[in-house]
Amino acid sequence: MMSNLQITPYRLTLQDWQFKAADENEWLSAEVPGTVHTDLLAHNKIPDPFYGTNEKDVQWIDKKDWEYITTIQVEEAVLQHSHVDLVFHGLDTYADVYMNDQLVLSADNMFRTWRADVKGYAKAGENTIRIYFRSPIQEDLPKLEALGYALPASNDQSDVGELGEQRVSIFARKAPYHYGWDWGPRFVTSGIWREAELVAWSEVRIEDVYIRQNHVTADSAELTAVIQIYSEQERKGNVHIRTEDQNWEQQVTLQEGTDIIEIPLTLENPKLWWSRGLGEAHLYTFTIAVTEVADQQKQFAEQSVRTGIRSVRLVREKQGDYPGTSFYFELNGVPVFAKGANHIPNDSFLPRVTYERYRHEIVSAAEANMNMLRVWGGGIYENNEFYELCDEYGIMVWQDFMFACSMYPGDEEFLDSVQAEAEENVRRLRNHPSVVLWCGNNEMDSAWAHYIEDGGWGWKKNYTEEQREQIWNDYKAVFHELLPDVVASESPGIDYWASSPMVDMTDTVEQHTQGLTDSGDIHYWGVWHGSEPFERYNEYVGRFMSEYGFQSFPEYRSVRTYAEEADMELESEVMLRHQKNGSGNRLIKEYMDKYLPEPKDFPSFLYMSQVLQAEAMQMAIEAHRRNKPYCMGTLYWQMNDCWPVASWAGMDYFGRWKALHYYAKRSFRDIAVSVDSSNKEQFDIYAISDVLAPAALTIRVKVLGTDGGLYKEIPQSFSLAGNECLKLMSLSKDHLLDGVDPHQVVLLVELEQDGIIIDSQLSYFVSYKDIPLSQPNITVTQKEENGVAVIELTTDKLARQVWLSADHAGEFSDNFFDLLPGQTYRVHFCQLSEVGNEHPSQPQHGLAAAAMIPSRAEGLQVTSMADYIK
């Protein structure tokens, strides 16, 4: 439709950087985007920060100022443009930028884009750009002194940073986890952490496009294209909008400067965006072009945005006879049970996170039947690729603002910075259909608990009444006023939740979560921090379980990337350095002694820790799902790791699935069977559906000997409505055993649809510690069926927690499962498909775009629990 005569902006990516400490003279090559830490590592100036105890040896870096410099060639034709801008999509954090020795901007917020008009400073030929990064520690220590008292920041590992009790993380608009967390190291970075470019343009620039969704149904989508356009002068123009098979055109008068044009759009019978499991995650691309009225072949500017058409809301209402109020997400009019995990940054050094690493995480989430990830508030507003992948895979995003587990200042300068940060990031992410909620912060409301004198984490007792009121008023200024106003203004239609967890924003004692509540969302840490038994998960169920978790170690080959063989001991200095929760190793062992057989050595302890974690999370997840629709969400802590470490993650730093991730895949099945054995006298059996269509199903309850023999079978056919949880039967354990030794039998519950087993669950009549285990003989066959590699496994006796591993990267379709004689268990080794290995310019939609593809497992190894116990 348009000619190629458009006035195209000129873009030059800024490359070939050098860096040095400000008090030194030696310039070294630098990688941009990058960090000081990774640049120093590349030149062998520091040891690998992740290895051994090296974290403590690199804490000097954040006390220094650093300089980055590059030279660029600017052609005379570039300077003919009306505007020449330096654009930094991420500066970490306190930075002064000079062009040809002239200060052009000063940055103080890692989460913002910084732009400077440098037309008056640029020259034809060689230009020098220098950035002076001020130490975030030295910059913020005076703010702490000026305040006169320390604000709570319990996860700021100031002792590791050699600062004693001086916690300064709350003053910097910088990723909080950089200062340490109870799963992450302290590396307070500096650097150009996102792309930097020189951009030149003239006449007209489209600054932003927002496809506002006013009213969406299956029949019609009433939209508004909100287009922010800068024009050098008042002019008439035509705005053209196209998507798929529809076009719109409107003549507009552009004012001099920045103007906002709103154009109504209607899509009849739109293809809706659905979360994974409910339908296609369809995406529309809207292309907006501005042309001259008299000559439509003259195109001033063009921009495309991609979005999905959907309605979404957080429903908090009285619900039937249940106490309290609901807490669930309604997508396109359908209540959705949220299944997933909490996401943290994938690396301590953010520029190392490639598109492929993002893709591995999101594909892994989809493969594990998840439909939601919570972007937690102690990390970053993620790169665009993260949200694009969530859009494509139908993964809803609960998005926190970047505040966590601390109280923050409320001075005018700080509030202005937060305002700009919030506006930019809400605008950047508002076209992503995956983003379904903005949340103000993580755990700050419940930690401070302003209206409960003895509530919270004990922070209030350290302050005078006057200081308390000041701190709380500063809190309300950000989380009850500024942030909700930004969300309402910039992304209308998306709900805001002030803090997670929280009951309701009442400004009364009823606002704060203190224990189990029947409204709002819940973080439950009685299991783990409170040393409560796993069985508590069956009792402690709220409306939406947005955090809970249990730790494990990564597998042996991951641990060996940071530890020597001599370090392979639970209390070694290296293991303690790679366990950021003070009681972590003790708690893992304490729970293991309670629930599992004793491992024979430390590598076996690593394996058993994963089994322990997975068993805990299965109990929690299925307790939450069995309480549908009272409970409508379960997000465990956590999805991933930022370094190799013992943590709550279900995938380790290298992307290797732990036992938890395989368990989650089974427990999150869209149509699932769940066996509740919390009643010592009986098994309660449930069927759960998260899909919309009803299903005709058959359940088969079998009592099997550990030798594979069938003692009893109870079949039952039934209908399961869409989006329903149904308790099918309660079976007395005595009746099922009928005099048989409970140590010699298992309960197998199979769920069939159209004669195909779609889910099954194995349960035991005795505790896991009391199950007799001897070494099984597991037969493994790899073969090809219809061009697909298949692994078949059989055993001569009960094999618990069968673990398959391979020499090369990939995951198995199932793992950490129990195998009985008489069964043939079929598994695929899966690798990420090649589609999309490079970030596609035209990303495909849906799981077909990228999924785990079966392939042959080279160097296949198969073990079971009998190999790891004494």
Side-chain angles (χ1 to χ4, degrees):
M1 183 176 80
M2 305 300 174
S3 76
N4 293 323
L5 299 177
Q6 63 197 54
I7 301 174
T8 303
Y10 168 86
R11 293 184 181 276
L12 174 67
T13 300
L14 304 185
Q15 298 175 327
D16 300 323
W17 291 84
Q18 294 181 305
F19 84 110
K20 72 177 183 69
D23 60 355
E24 297 178 3
N25 296 319
E26 182 186 14
W27 288 95
L28 300 169
S29 61
E31 185 75 24
V32 172
T35 71
V36 170
H37 288 73
T38 48
D39 285 334
L40 289 169
L41 179 62
H43 288 280
N44 297 314
K45 296 294 186 179
I46 59 171
D48 180 356
F50 287 177
Y51 189 78
T53 62
N54 290 343
E55 175 193 3
K56 63 182 172 57
D57 297 326
V58 297
Q59 295 303 312
W60 58 271
I61 297 171
D62 61 36
K63 316 302 188 298
K64 282 179 170 282
D65 295 349
W66 297 89
E67 292 184 79
Y68 280 70
I69 195 167
T70 188
T71 57
I72 59 173
Q73 293 292 324
V74 177
E75 302 295 330
E76 182 66 46
V78 173
L79 299 179
Q80 298 306 308
H81 279 279
S82 306
H83 301 268
V84 181
D85 295 340
L86 270 181
V87 183
F88 295 93
H89 295 277
L91 292 172
D92 179 14
T93 292
Y94 299 110
D96 296 322
V97 180
Y98 299 84
M99 186 167 195
N100 297 325
D101 296 324
Q102 299 296 311
L103 179 67
V104 295
L105 70 83
S106 291
D108 63 359
N109 189 316
M110 172 182 177
F111 303 123
R112 291 181 55 189
T113 298
W114 295 92
R115 179 184 291 267
D117 186 345
V118 295
K119 184 172 174 62
Y121 306 104
K123 60 186 180 181
E126 187 174 276
N127 292 256
T128 300
I129 299 168
R130 182 172 65 91
I131 306 178
Y132 190 97
F133 286 99
R134 303 190 303 281
S135 157
I137 304 304
Q138 309 296 355
E139 183 80 9
D140 289 334
L141 279 170
K143 298 175 187 175
L144 177 61
E145 184 177 357
L147 184 62
Y149 54 84
L151 287 169
S154 54
N155 282 284
D156 183 330
Q157 296 172 12
S158 55
D159 56 333
V160 176
E162 302 167 355
L163 295 173
E165 296 298 314
Q166 298 178 101
R167 297 183 175 92
V168 297
S169 57
I170 45 85
F171 296 106
R173 291 314 299 145
K174 173 176 174 59
Y177 84 109
H178 282 170
Y179 296 82
W181 219 266
D182 59 1
W183 38 257
R186 179 187 171 93
F187 298 126
V188 184
T189 60
S190 293
I192 309 167
W193 76 284
R194 281 177 171 158
E195 185 181 30
E197 57 185 347
L198 183 78
V199 180
W201 56 281
S202 299
E203 296 198 47
V204 174
R205 180 166 72 97
I206 298 176
E207 296 180 329
D208 186 63
V209 175
Y210 170 38
I211 305 300
R212 190 175 69 215
Q213 304 190 23
N214 307 313
H215 184 68
V216 173
T217 68
D219 297 325
S220 176
E222 301 298 327
L223 315 173
T224 301
V226 183
I227 310 166
Q228 183 172 309
I229 304 175
Y230 181 93
S231 178
E232 292 177 355
Q233 62 188 47
E234 181 178 324
R235 70 176 82 233
K236 291 188 181 297
N238 281 337
V239 176
H240 306 264
I241 304 174
R242 64 183 185 274
T243 185
E244 296 190 1
D245 57 354
Q246 289 193 249
N247 295 275
W248 299 266
E249 184 176 331
Q250 181 171 312
Q251 187 176 118
V252 299
T253 299
L254 300 177
Q255 304 301 317
E256 181 181 350
T258 296
D259 206 2
I260 295 179
I261 306 298
E262 297 194 1
I263 300 177
L265 314 174
T266 299
L267 291 176
E268 301 295 341
N269 302 311
K271 300 173 185 175
L272 299 180
W273 184 91
W274 289 97
S275 59
R276 194 221 57 78
L278 292 181
E280 181 188 1
H282 185 82
L283 296 169
Y284 285 86
T285 297
F286 289 84
T287 300
I288 290 83
V290 181
T291 65
E292 193 174 83
V293 173
D295 180 8
Q296 294 197 35
Q297 295 301 306
K298 182 178 181 180
Q299 181 169 301
F300 291 113
E302 181 176 285
Q303 185 169 317
S304 292
V305 297
R306 197 170 59 144
T307 191
I309 307 302
R310 52 93 178 101
S311 66
V312 65
R313 69 185 183 114
L314 174 62
V315 181
R316 296 190 298 118
E317 300 171 347
K318 177 64 180 171
Q319 185 182 26
D321 296 329
Y322 292 127
T325 54
S326 64
F327 192 106
Y328 68 86
F329 293 91
E330 182 187 83
L331 181 65
N332 300 325
V334 174
V336 180
F337 189 100
K339 301 178 293 190
N342 288 260
H343 160 90
I344 66 169
N346 276 302
D347 207 298
S348 293
F349 307 115
L350 290 161
R352 298 205 299 205
V353 183
T354 62
Y355 175 76
E356 289 74 21
R357 286 177 68 180
Y358 278 128
R359 184 167 166 266
H360 175 77
E361 180 189 1
I362 303 308
V363 170
S364 295
E367 290 282 339
N369 299 308
M370 295 182 182
N371 60 16
M372 178 174 279
L373 292 172
R374 173 184 173 222
V375 177
W376 166 79
I380 62 168
Y381 308 95
E382 278 293 355
N383 290 356
N384 293 334
E385 293 92 337
F386 175 89
Y387 302 97
E388 290 165 2
L389 285 161
C390 288
D391 292 344
E392 294 167 22
Y393 282 84
I395 304 296
M396 296 181 291
V397 173
W398 167 316
Q399 177 68 51
D400 283 6
F401 286 95
M402 292 303 115
F403 301 88
C405 301
S406 306
M407 299 302 279
Y408 291 81
D411 57 272
E412 184 177 0
E413 181 180 0
F414 185 84
L415 293 179
D416 287 347
S417 184
V418 171
Q419 176 94 23
E421 164 194 324
E423 289 176 349
E424 175 177 333
N425 283 285
V426 172
R427 288 171 183 165
R428 177 171 70 94
L429 301 182
R430 61 188 175 179
N431 282 314
H432 291 285
S434 55
V435 177
V436 298
L437 182 74
W438 280 95
C439 180
N441 67 73
N442 177 74
E443 295 186 342
M444 290 165 55
D445 181 273
S446 57
W448 183 260
H450 188 72
Y451 302 107
I452 304 175
E453 180 59 30
D454 296 323
W457 297 357
W459 287 349
K460 296 193 298 293
K461 71 180 188 305
N462 298 318
Y463 302 92
T464 66
E465 285 297 325
E466 182 181 1
Q467 289 169 343
R468 287 189 191 187
E469 289 302 317
Q470 181 64 55
I471 292 169
W472 184 243
N473 287 334
D474 290 344
Y475 173 93
K476 291 200 297 183
V478 175
F479 302 105
H480 293 190
E481 298 168 16
L482 188 159
L483 293 180
D485 287 350
V486 169
V487 173
S489 171
E490 303 298 335
S491 188
I494 297 299
D495 284 290
Y496 172 82
W497 188 239
S499 182
S500 178
M502 190 178 70
V503 178
D504 198 359
M505 202 160 71
T506 62
D507 284 332
T508 67
V509 66
E510 284 79 20
Q511 175 169 308
H512 312 306
T513 53
Q514 298 291 305
L516 185 61
T517 64
D518 55 24
S519 300
D521 69 314
I522 286 177
H523 294 189
Y524 172 55
W525 287 103
V527 175
W528 185 260
H529 291 302
S531 296
E532 295 177 9
F534 290 169
E535 290 76 14
R536 259 307 252 154
Y537 283 130
N538 292 308
E539 306 163 14
Y540 207 103
V541 180
R543 293 302 200 146
F544 195 105
M545 306 301 291
S546 48
E547 263 196 42
Y548 58 93
F550 194 89
Q551 275 201 4
S552 75
F553 279 80
E555 63 183 74
Y556 176 80
R557 59 179 165 171
S558 295
V559 173
R560 286 289 276 118
T561 65
Y562 63 81
E564 296 295 331
E565 198 64 44
D567 302 316
M568 302 293 277
E569 196 275 319
L570 195 58
E571 297 300 314
S572 73
E573 186 181 3
V574 170
M575 289 305 148
L576 293 175
R577 278 282 177 177
H578 286 258
Q579 168 56 271
K580 287 297 185 173
N581 180 256
S583 302
N585 291 356
R586 175 188 61 80
L587 283 169
I588 294 173
K589 187 176 188 310
E590 178 183 305
Y591 277 98
M592 193 179 296
D593 290 344
K594 179 180 176 65
Y595 287 104
L596 293 178
E598 184 179 356
K600 67 182 184 182
D601 52 25
F602 189 71
S604 300
F605 184 89
L606 304 178
Y607 161 90
M608 295 289 276
S609 76
Q610 292 200 21
V611 173
L612 184 72
Q613 177 192 38
E615 292 284 346
M617 293 299 91
Q618 178 188 24
M619 189 174 294
I621 291 168
E622 295 193 18
H624 304 157
R625 292 192 72 189
R626 288 194 299 266
N627 279 277
K628 179 182 178 175
Y630 177 80
C631 177
M632 285 296 287
T634 178
L635 307 177
Y636 62 78
W637 185 269
Q638 64 210 61
M639 180 72 180
N640 56 321
D641 271 327
C642 69
W643 73 318
V645 68
S647 81
W648 295 272
M651 297 193 314
D652 73 19
Y653 172 74
F654 302 101
R656 293 167 180 150
W657 292 9
K658 294 183 181 180
L660 165 55
H661 200 81
Y662 288 103
Y663 268 59
K665 179 179 180 179
R666 296 196 287 265
S667 293
F668 284 150
R669 281 180 176 137
D670 292 331
I671 300 179
V673 63
S674 178
V675 179
D676 179 7
S677 59
S678 57
N679 185 323
K680 301 301 182 184
E681 305 302 320
Q682 67 186 38
F683 290 110
D684 295 326
I685 300 173
Y686 294 76
I688 307 162
S689 172
D690 291 333
V691 301
L692 303 183
L697 303 167
T698 297
I699 196 164
R700 297 187 187 279
V701 179
K702 298 177 180 179
V703 180
L704 299 172
T706 54
D707 61 358
L710 177 63
Y711 284 84
K712 186 173 291 189
E713 180 172 351
I714 305 171
Q716 179 180 315
S717 296
F718 64 100
S719 295
L720 186 63
N723 226 354
E724 180 186 37
C725 175
L726 185 63
K727 185 175 181 179
L728 297 174
M729 57 181 76
S730 295
L731 298 172
S732 162
K733 293 181 181 179
D734 286 342
H735 170 70
L736 290 168
L737 287 169
D738 199 17
V740 177
D741 181 355
H743 297 81
Q744 301 300 322
V745 291
V746 300
L747 185 77
L748 176 64
V749 182
E750 297 175 331
L751 189 63
E752 291 183 5
Q753 185 175 29
D754 298 327
I756 298 172
I757 297 174
I758 61 171
D759 194 15
S760 65
Q761 193 165 114
L762 204 60
S763 299
Y764 292 84
F765 290 85
V766 297
S767 70
Y768 291 151
K769 281 177 71 75
D770 295 330
I771 298 169
L773 292 178
S774 56
Q775 188 67 49
N777 179 26
I778 301 174
T779 302
V780 183
T781 305
Q782 286 205 67
K783 60 183 183 179
E784 189 173 293
E785 292 183 359
N786 300 319
V788 175
V790 177
I791 304 166
E792 290 188 344
L793 301 99
T794 60
T795 184
D796 63 343
K797 55 176 65 84
L798 173 64
R800 289 222 63 216
Q801 296 294 334
V802 175
W803 179 32
L804 289 74
S805 60
D807 286 345
H808 53 295
E811 306 297 342
F812 293 87
S813 59
D814 201 1
N815 216 337
F816 292 92
F817 51 82
D818 291 359
L819 187 60
L820 285 170
Q823 293 182 334
T824 299
Y825 212 93
R826 295 165 59 86
V827 176
H828 300 292
F829 178 71
C830 302
Q831 295 180 294
L832 209 57
S833 69
E834 294 182 2
V835 177
N837 276 346
E838 299 299 328
H839 192 181
S841 59
Q842 298 291 329
Q844 300 181 43
H845 305 159
L847 283 179
M852 297 289 190
I853 303 301
S855 65
R856 184 172 179 82
E858 301 297 338
L860 177 66
Q861 298 180 38
V862 180
T863 55
S864 72
M865 184 177 286
D867 294 299
Y868 299 99
I869 62 176
K870 287 190 174 180

